[in-house]
Amino acid sequence: MSRNRRGITSLTAEQALDNFEERLQPLLEAQSVAEAKRCMSCGQCFECDNCVVYCPQIAVFKVPKAKATTGRYVDTNYNKCIGCHICADVCPTGYIQMGLGD
């Protein structure tokens, strides 16, 4: 899906003086909705912390930045996880995939 870009009003130095009008034009409602759907469907974790907040067992937790590796900001303590799937349900990108284990 292509990105919706906002229009920009370009001004000369003289036009910019005492001009407090918006330079970035807003997207139309349909464009805003399409842009939100595009951004929320990348399938990658963007640290919204929904899984951390909603986990009833405190099994999902934020990895300290000093210990985090690229692309891994939350982790799961599987000894605490009861398999309720709430973390997967509240994940807006679909990043969390629940399995049956080994």
Side-chain angles (χ1 to χ4, degrees):
M1 183 180 290
S2 63
R3 179 177 176 191
N4 289 289
R5 296 185 179 269
R6 293 171 28 166
I8 300 174
T9 302
S10 298
L11 303 173
T12 65
E14 294 80 28
Q15 292 172 323
L17 289 172
D18 296 322
N19 185 334
F20 298 99
E21 298 294 321
E22 293 288 337
R23 292 189 57 220
L24 287 173
Q25 286 119 35
L27 295 175
L28 300 173
E29 183 177 354
Q31 292 173 313
S32 296
V33 170
E35 188 64 9
K37 286 180 181 176
R38 184 187 70 80
C39 291
M40 298 297 277
S41 63
C42 64
Q44 297 297 314
C45 176
F46 57 84
E47 297 184 78
C48 71
D49 294 342
N50 281 353
C51 55
V52 176
V53 171
Y54 288 101
C55 179
Q57 299 302 115
I58 315 171
V60 182
F61 60 94
K62 288 187 70 80
V63 174
K65 290 288 184 186
K67 294 182 180 181
T69 59
T70 303
R72 186 168 185 133
Y73 298 104
V74 296
D75 200 357
T76 303
N77 180 341
Y78 291 104
N79 292 324
K80 292 182 177 182
C81 179
I82 59 172
C84 66
H85 294 232
I86 291 174
C87 57
D89 292 342
V90 299
C91 181
T93 65
Y95 181 75
I96 300 172
Q97 299 292 315
M98 299 297 290
L100 296 175
D102 293 332

